[in-house]
Amino acid sequence: MGQSVSSYRSARRSLPAKTAGDIIDSSSDLVHPPSPLSGLPVLKKAKGHYWYPSEGTRILDACGGAGVACLGHGRRDITKAVTAQMHSFTYASYAHFNTSPVQELSDWLIKSTGGKMQKVYVMCSGSEAMEAALKLAVEYFLWQNQPDRTNFIVREESYHGTTLGSLSASGHVVRRAPFAPLLIPARFHRIPACNPYRQRLVSDSEFESDAAFVARKTAELEAEFARLGPETVAAVVLEPVVGAALGCVPAVKGYLAAVKAVCERHGALLILDEVMCGMGRTGFLHAWQGEAREGDGSGPDDVVPDLQAIAKGFAGGYQPASALLVGGKVAGVMEREGKVFTHGHTYQNHPVVAAAALAVQRVVEKEGLLKNVRVQGTLLERLLKQRLGTHPNVGDIRGKGLFWGIEFVKDKLTKEPFDPALGIAERVHKTAVREFRVLVYHGQGCAGGGRGDHIMVMPAYDISSKLVAEIVERVASAVEEVFRHL
Ligand SMILES: Cc1ncc(COP(=O)(O)O)c(C=O)c1O
């Protein structure tokens, strides 16, 4: 069923050998992160919305690396804030001191959720934040004498991190395959993702409505609770907009609220992984925040998680930053029972990391960039659909804000994916870089079982309309070029 790693490797071997013209040969699905020996170019400079891998070569950044560089590269206002903190002090153990950047960042984050999230642990990677979320969920139930709540309901075509716990939660076939014997299948139980392009029923050319689709998805979740025994489930884990594993697939309207209601009915927690889709990527600071809202706080159609992981756009790559946000229910028990989470990293609550995240978020706020994400996101959607919507090998274009995925298919009608051995997404990525000087993020697995190719377009939040149009033109040209020669 699933694509084996060896078939993936042989697929890569079957690609044209590297030439002197190779500028960027990233293999995000095979080696994550790529090994220093993998022959990548040595980057000379990155500035604004461009990468400069060598003298005279300029590549338009349409993905911020792995969806990280949300303010582009080399902003002085941020590097100044980071160095100022380093001049003040570079490190303090979270066990010995509170520090003003961490305090200020935590207060700001809590306020950004309208006080719905009440505690913050600052960390360095998305995997760490997700690992911590899984552990805190279990410990929360231990504090309440419910030691049997150790099961997690997770989804197919998902990615939550590289560590053994977060990888166990992930449904990413290729990234799991080599470590299968170490993962924890007895605790992580998979249900299908929420993917309308591949799962919505069609009969007599009528589409299943959102409400009917959500009802069917809810029934799948209910059935899994019933199978496991609801009293054994600690949490449901999901990405509100699925990133690398599916290629920017937002939850169908009503799905998040329905999942939350099921969790509440069974006393389980809801963990949202906003590592990739959060911190402004969707046009809202938190992906769980609905459209109806005033100011920064919460709004009437929000679906507030119990635990939330953020990273990537949190500090925009100016430092390796992530955080675990803890909602009122869990924080309330901690406070009431006087409990402390049995968990800590040496670099937890790092002051320089916090200073970077704070500086990035201040820029996003001061320059009104969430609005720009929504405005430019609407343009990006329109232009991508205009330019590529009718292409015979483009099956779906989906996303939200500045987070857009393009799924490639062999047959537009049947949605049959390409043979993974062809490495279609990687070919598009390489052609885009080599011939059209634009960097996109590519992946495989969006059609399930390791099959299906997609690329992701995730420009910086301060992108202009002119650059959005240029990105679309270059990406579309690369797509056309690849299929012209297939
Ligand atoms: C949704 C999601 N969760 C978790 C992770 C893991 O984050 P990191 O690579 O920073 O450990 C990623 C990374 O791509 C991600 O996209």
Side-chain angles (χ1 to χ4, degrees):
M1 185 191 88
Q3 181 204 5
S4 72
V5 170
S6 62
S7 78
Y8 190 85
R9 289 209 168 104
S10 67
R12 277 185 45 78
R13 274 198 298 273
S14 71
L15 289 167
K18 269 167 67 72
T19 66
D22 275 327
I23 296 165
I24 292 184
D25 180 13
S26 87
S27 314
S28 53
D29 275 323
L30 182 63
V31 188
H32 185 81
S35 137
L37 300 176
S38 61
L40 295 175
V42 179
L43 188 68
K44 296 284 181 294
K45 191 176 99 172
K47 187 86 191 139
H49 300 113
Y50 293 92
W51 305 96
Y52 297 85
S54 61
E55 208 56 53
T57 308
R58 192 174 83 150
I59 294 171
L60 182 54
D61 185 8
C63 63
V68 172
C70 64
L71 294 182
H73 308 274
R75 285 188 74 130
R76 280 286 162 81
D77 37 5
I78 299 166
T79 53
K80 259 172 79 177
V82 172
T83 40
Q85 176 55 44
M86 292 183 91
H87 285 306
S88 175
F89 57 92
T90 48
Y91 168 74
S93 166
Y94 74 95
H96 297 152
F97 295 103
N98 193 1
T99 66
S100 57
V102 171
Q103 187 64 59
E104 217 177 311
L105 180 65
S106 302
D107 290 347
W108 180 86
L109 270 172
I110 289 166
K111 190 161 164 260
S112 77
T113 69
K116 299 284 199 262
M117 307 309 282
Q118 296 182 357
K119 277 189 192 296
V120 176
Y121 298 86
V122 177
M123 303 175 195
C124 299
S125 74
S127 303
E128 280 174 76
M130 280 307 296
E131 195 81 20
L134 300 171
K135 287 173 69 182
L136 182 52
V138 168
E139 196 164 28
Y140 163 76
F141 286 112
L142 265 183
W143 294 331
Q144 296 175 91
N145 296 320
Q146 296 184 59
D148 293 336
R149 284 204 187 255
T150 52
N151 282 319
F152 290 88
I153 299 179
V154 295
R155 302 191 310 173
E156 286 162 5
E157 292 91 59
S158 57
Y159 182 60
H160 301 295
T162 48
T163 53
L164 292 177
S166 61
L167 193 59
S168 293
S170 306
H172 196 296
V173 172
V174 174
R175 293 179 189 175
R176 287 172 59 92
F179 310 106
L182 301 180
L183 302 180
I184 320 165
R187 288 290 169 264
F188 293 88
H189 309 277
R190 223 162 288 288
I191 58 169
C194 176
N195 182 357
Y197 172 62
R198 292 204 166 267
Q199 297 166 344
R200 205 191 281 270
L201 299 177
V202 187
S203 59
D204 298 333
S205 30
E206 260 188 50
F207 282 102
E208 186 179 31
S209 69
D210 281 356
F213 183 60
V214 168
R216 201 155 54 79
K217 296 272 108 194
T218 311
E220 288 168 358
L221 178 61
E222 280 286 13
E224 194 58 16
F225 266 99
R227 191 183 72 79
L228 293 167
E231 67 292 343
T232 72
V233 178
V236 172
V237 181
L238 62 93
E239 296 166 73
V241 184
V242 183
L246 266 184
C248 307
V249 175
V252 166
K253 194 168 167 20
Y255 175 80
L256 288 182
V259 171
K260 169 101 191 222
V262 173
C263 288
E264 285 188 337
R265 194 157 50 251
H266 295 305
L269 300 179
L270 175 61
I271 300 177
L272 291 187
D273 179 346
E274 298 208 1
V275 165
M276 200 171 216
C277 65
M279 298 315 289
R281 186 49 66 195
T282 60
F284 297 89
L285 190 69
H286 305 292
W288 53 259
Q289 290 177 321
E291 319 276 319
R293 60 186 34 266
E294 280 170 23
D296 283 340
S298 59
D301 54 352
D302 292 346
V303 179
V304 185
D306 296 302
L307 299 170
Q308 177 188 358
I310 57 173
K312 298 193 188 268
F314 185 32
Y318 283 83
Q319 284 289 298
S322 71
L324 171 64
L325 276 54
V326 182
K329 192 158 52 182
V330 178
V333 169
M334 284 175 101
E335 293 289 327
R336 205 171 54 242
E337 309 283 328
K339 299 293 186 187
V340 175
F341 181 24
T342 315
H343 184 88
H345 293 278
T346 301
Y347 297 122
Q348 194 163 301
N349 289 353
H350 197 289
V352 181
V353 167
L358 206 49
V360 165
Q361 296 311 320
R362 283 202 178 119
V363 170
V364 172
E365 216 169 35
K366 197 172 80 197
E367 298 184 6
L369 293 180
L370 295 181
K371 178 151 185 260
N372 196 54
V373 173
R374 296 194 290 272
V375 170
Q376 301 305 334
T378 305
L379 177 66
L380 180 61
E381 173 182 12
R382 182 163 63 75
L383 296 181
L384 281 175
K385 288 183 173 170
Q386 246 172 32
R387 193 67 173 67
L388 285 172
T390 56
H391 190 285
N393 298 110
V394 171
D396 194 30
I397 300 174
R398 66 294 180 106
K400 190 171 181 189
L402 285 173
F403 196 41
W404 284 85
I406 304 172
E407 178 167 344
F408 303 113
V409 287
K410 196 167 160 192
D411 185 314
K412 208 168 171 105
L413 212 61
T414 64
K415 303 180 184 175
E416 185 189 348
F418 283 99
D419 178 351
L422 291 171
I424 292 294
E426 186 172 3
R427 288 190 198 206
V428 172
H429 153 79
K430 283 185 165 180
T431 303
V433 173
R434 282 183 195 152
E435 296 179 36
F436 299 95
R437 299 287 196 258
V438 62
L439 186 70
V440 294
Y441 195 80
H442 70 285
Q444 270 188 324
C446 55
R451 290 165 62 82
D453 291 84
H454 60 268
I455 56 164
M456 293 158 74
V457 181
M458 313 175 269
Y461 303 171
D462 55 348
I463 200 87
S464 64
S465 307
K466 185 166 170 283
L467 279 184
V468 166
E470 199 169 322
I471 286 171
V472 173
E473 193 48 42
R474 293 187 193 203
V475 170
S477 302
V479 170
E480 286 163 352
E481 180 69 7
V482 166
F483 290 107
R484 194 175 298 126
H485 296 288
L486 203 66

